[in-house]
Amino acid sequence: MDNIGNRYMPEQPIKEITNGLLLRGMDLTFKRSVLLYTFLEADELAHQEALRFMRKASQMSDEHFMRVLDAGSEDGTLFAVLQSETGRPLSDRLIDLEITGHKALMYVHELAKGIREARRRRLPECSVDADNLWIEDNGRLRIINFWAEGKYGRRGVPGLALLLYQLGAKTDIPTSSISAYTFEMNRSFADLSDVARERAIALASRAYEGLCTLADFQQELEVLLGIGDEGKEPLLISVLPENDMMTSSRREWKTAIRESHAFVDPKSKKRTAEGRKPGETQTRISAATASKMAELRNLFRETFKLRKWHLFATVGSGVLIFLLWLILRPLPDDVNGSKSQTIPTLGPTVVSVNRTETSESSASASSMQARTVVPRDKVEVQPPDDGAIQAKTGIVPDLVAHTREDAEKIAIASGLRYQFYMESNAADKGVVFKQDLTPGTPVKNGDRITFWVSKGK
């Protein structure tokens, strides 16, 4: 391979990532090892735009990103020269990397700060999944390509949620099933307490579906990780029951908490600013807390009693009205002074059922047999569709080695929604070579399956 820019000599390819090639090289001018990131942009406008953002990225010096030493273009090939770091791409270490739930939350919290910094510098929303991350030997994560916009679902908050799934499931293939995602998060956060695990799973699921902003995501992470707890109110306040009678008491409780914190001077170990000893301060705080909690318990009991009696009264009134209606309603025989007549059926009923219908449609057709009348000379039996693709509803089908058209039909016949990507692969053009859900496993009707279709070599 020829030298790049007459200065950088490529040595060893590392990996193909984010439409480019990452390889190790040598800076011949300064005699130092570097990482070379090369890629192509056929469109001239896109070429110039990528070069502009690479040069803008080279002005950044942030611990969350790889350091860009140089950037340029040669013979239509764009290249970025990155500072050589110990370690490997994160996607190469997913299988053998053991990361606790707490560590995974720390990772995404740090990367969230990096995203905010990139936004402040007006750089594109880069990808933050395992394919675009470098993990050093000391465990620190760095974003490799932060000058190009990442794909939807792999950037921003959904990208961070995808990274949580990749760290837990040990795969870089995302899942479109939120139930599968929640199950994996529950397993990944096993080292957290029950309350923290439930909050972490709920946060990650909202982020994976794109239902929370970066600010909300980062703030909730800080609560889970205990970052910046000083001066914050206890979590107990946020889980107390909401009702009109307790609103004023909750305000008083919060005020008491704030006032009790005001008595404590963290810089003084002997006496507070008002001349009180630490023991006296703690006594006053405990007494105020106990008093307010007792008031809240009494108010909650009274509210519960009132709601209970209101519920009993409502149910009793409903039962009384129903009994009166049964007593006063006219009998069927007295309506219009006539009696019910028996309507004879014309003959046995025949209902044609298509074999390719779902089990629910068959059951519905069977239930209609007793009341649907069809003359014998007009009965039409439809032949079975032997050419239809056979699939089992509720079971993940195996789409690999099928054409894209057949894979779509199989997915629909299995009761699934689907999406697919076209990527270059050694498989024949138009043939599925990968899918995200495991074949033969149970799946809910309406879940989404993702598969990859080969564009050829």
Side-chain angles (χ1 to χ4, degrees), residues 28-78:
L28 300 177
T29 302
F30 293 101
K31 304 298 181 183
R32 60 183 176 181
S33 296
V34 293
L35 295 175
L36 300 174
Y37 190 102
T38 63
F39 61 101
L40 295 174
E41 282 291 355
D43 183 74
E44 181 63 24
L45 290 178
H47 184 99
Q48 296 299 327
E49 186 75 0
L51 184 59
R52 182 175 71 86
F53 277 120
M54 279 196 300
R55 288 172 176 169
K56 187 175 182 179
S58 64
Q59 302 173 6
M60 283 189 62
S61 178
D62 190 277
E63 61 180 357
H64 303 101
F65 306 96
M66 300 286 281
R67 179 76 181 276
V68 179
L69 303 175
D70 192 9
S73 174
E74 183 179 273
D75 298 331
T77 300
L78 291 160

Side-chain angles (χ1 to χ4, degrees), residues 37 108 138 163 185 211 306 312 326 355 399 407 409 436:
Y37 190 102
V108 296
N138 59 7
L163 176 61
M185 290 300 96
L211 301 179
L306 289 175
F312 288 162
L326 289 177
R355 284 166 53 184
L399 306 181
K409 294 177 183 179
D436 63 337

Side-chain angles (χ1 to χ4, degrees), residues 279-446:
E280 297 175 358
T281 302
Q282 295 297 331
T283 302
R284 292 175 61 89
I285 294 174
S286 300
T289 302
S291 176
K292 290 298 180 180
M293 288 300 294
E295 294 179 8
L296 288 175
R297 281 196 296 269
N298 293 333
L299 284 173
F300 181 75
R301 291 194 188 98
E302 295 175 2
T303 305
F304 180 75
K305 291 179 180 179
L306 289 175
R307 288 185 176 182
K308 181 176 66 174
W309 287 112
H310 178 71
L311 177 63
F312 288 162
T314 303
V315 174
S317 300
V319 173
L320 181 60
I321 292 173
F322 179 72
L323 292 175
L324 290 175
W325 178 80
L326 289 177
I327 295 173
L328 298 178
R329 73 186 181 97
L331 296 175
D333 294 342
D334 297 335
V335 177
N336 297 328
S338 61
K339 294 185 179 181
S340 59
Q341 298 180 358
T342 302
I343 301 176
T345 58
L346 298 179
T349 302
V350 180
V351 179
S352 61
V353 181
N354 194 333
R355 284 166 53 184
T356 60
E357 294 179 348
T358 61
S359 59
E360 289 82 1
S361 300
S362 300
S364 177
S366 300
S367 63
M368 291 291 294
Q369 288 182 350
R371 59 176 184 274
T372 303
V373 178
V374 181
R376 291 179 180 270
D377 56 343
K378 293 185 180 181
V379 173
E380 180 178 352
V381 180
Q382 300 180 5
D385 186 6
D386 294 331
I389 296 176
Q390 300 298 320
K392 292 184 179 180
T393 304
I395 302 297
V396 176
D398 188 0
L399 306 181
V400 176
H402 288 276
T403 63
R404 177 178 64 82
E405 293 79 7
D406 287 345
E408 292 175 347
K409 294 177 183 179
I410 295 174
I412 294 175
S414 300
L416 301 175
R417 296 182 297 165
Y418 69 89
Q419 63 180 11
F420 65 89
Y421 297 98
M422 303 291 296
E423 292 186 4
S424 299
N425 191 265
D428 293 339
K429 184 177 181 180
V431 174
V432 178
F433 65 92
K434 182 171 63 173
Q435 68 183 66
D436 63 337
L437 300 183
T438 304
T441 58
V443 69
K444 293 183 179 179
N445 190 27

Side-chain angles (χ1 to χ4, degrees), residues 158-169:
L160 295 176
L162 172 60
L163 176 61
L164 286 174
Y165 176 80
Q166 291 174 332
L167 293 173

Side-chain angles (χ1 to χ4, degrees), residues 246-297:
M246 296 181 64
T247 302
S248 59
S249 298
R250 286 186 61 184
R251 292 198 192 101
E252 295 175 2
W253 165 245
K254 294 180 180 180
T255 304
I257 291 292
R258 295 191 189 100
E259 292 175 353
S260 63
H261 281 302
F263 294 147
V264 181
D265 183 5
K267 296 181 180 180
S268 174
K269 296 183 179 180
K270 294 183 179 180
R271 300 182 66 85
T272 62
E274 298 183 6
R276 298 184 179 89
K277 296 180 180 180
E280 297 175 358
T281 302
Q282 295 297 331
T283 302
R284 292 175 61 89
I285 294 174
S286 300
T289 302
S291 176
K292 290 298 180 180
M293 288 300 294
E295 294 179 8
L296 288 175
R297 281 196 296 269

